[in-house]
Amino acid sequence: MRLYYRAKKRAAIPAIICFLLAGLAVACAVLAYRFNIPALYVASFSAAALQLQIFILYVGSAYEYELDDGVLRIYRITGKSRLRIFDLDLRFADAMLGYSEYREYKKTRGKPRRTFVCLCGVPKKRARIILYGTSALLFAPDEAFAAAVKSRIGSEPVGEQRPV
């Protein structure tokens, strides 16, 4: 059985940041030209690059989660392209925690070595965290999808086995 969930995009704050960075880039370019200061050209280019990165990651993209036979797949949708960016076989996951439980986990056992975040503007307090090995995945499912993922953690896959 295949389940899908597309996180609702909350991009108001990143869009405002993009607008401010674009204004900063233009202002730096104008001042660099006017006063012939090469460092302001670097600042202008940096602000424009940061603005473009924030726009692509937070404003222009959305995440879609798929659960199929105990494998969680995460897709980043940007415009018409749909790119699979993450696969996790839930048999190998250790646990799924809420954000407050994860904060307690970090205090007692330390921060995981790698943390993969795909929240699409959703506040971290509403995120779910899947721990696997020495890594963590932060994502923002609804309650039904989270329950389906939690039921698959550590269990055998449903359906027929696929040859490797």
Side-chain angles (χ1 to χ4, degrees):
M1 183 170 146
R2 200 176 272 195
L3 297 172
Y4 292 99
Y5 177 71
R6 190 171 194 171
K8 292 181 181 176
K9 192 176 357 177
R10 297 172 188 253
I13 293 174
I16 292 170
I17 292 171
C18 284
F19 181 73
L20 293 175
L21 283 172
L24 178 67
V26 169
C28 285
V30 168
L31 290 175
Y33 178 75
R34 173 89 170 136
F35 297 113
N36 198 17
I37 302 173
L40 286 178
Y41 284 119
V42 173
S44 174
F45 178 75
S46 299
L50 181 62
Q51 180 253 345
L52 182 64
Q53 183 178 9
I54 289 172
F55 182 81
I56 289 171
L57 289 178
Y58 295 106
V59 179
S61 65
Y63 290 102
E64 183 177 83
Y65 311 125
E66 173 185 313
L67 181 63
D68 183 25
D69 287 337
V71 177
L72 177 66
R73 292 183 181 96
I74 300 176
Y75 297 92
R76 179 183 293 141
I77 301 167
T78 306
K80 292 183 180 180
S81 72
R82 185 174 184 248
L83 177 68
R84 183 169 57 195
I85 57 172
F86 195 82
D87 281 342
L88 175 63
D89 191 346
L90 294 176
R91 289 180 294 169
F92 303 112
D94 298 329
M96 186 166 89
L97 307 172
Y99 189 71
S100 59
E101 297 163 335
Y102 178 63
R103 289 178 64 195
E104 293 298 322
Y105 175 86
K106 285 195 313 187
K107 286 179 185 175
T108 59
R109 296 191 184 158
K111 187 176 179 181
R113 285 189 188 163
R114 290 180 294 169
T115 304
F116 188 76
V117 180
C118 53
L119 296 176
C120 200
V122 175
K124 283 186 178 180
K125 292 180 181 179
R126 295 181 54 202
R128 302 292 176 145
I129 294 88
I130 296 179
L131 300 171
Y132 56 99
T134 58
S135 304
L137 164 69
L138 278 76
F139 70 118
D142 64 346
E143 294 301 320
F145 194 83
V149 169
K150 193 168 191 172
S151 69
R152 301 274 191 219
I153 291 179
S155 67
E156 291 300 315
V158 178
E160 53 186 75
Q161 295 287 336
R162 295 184 182 136
V164 178

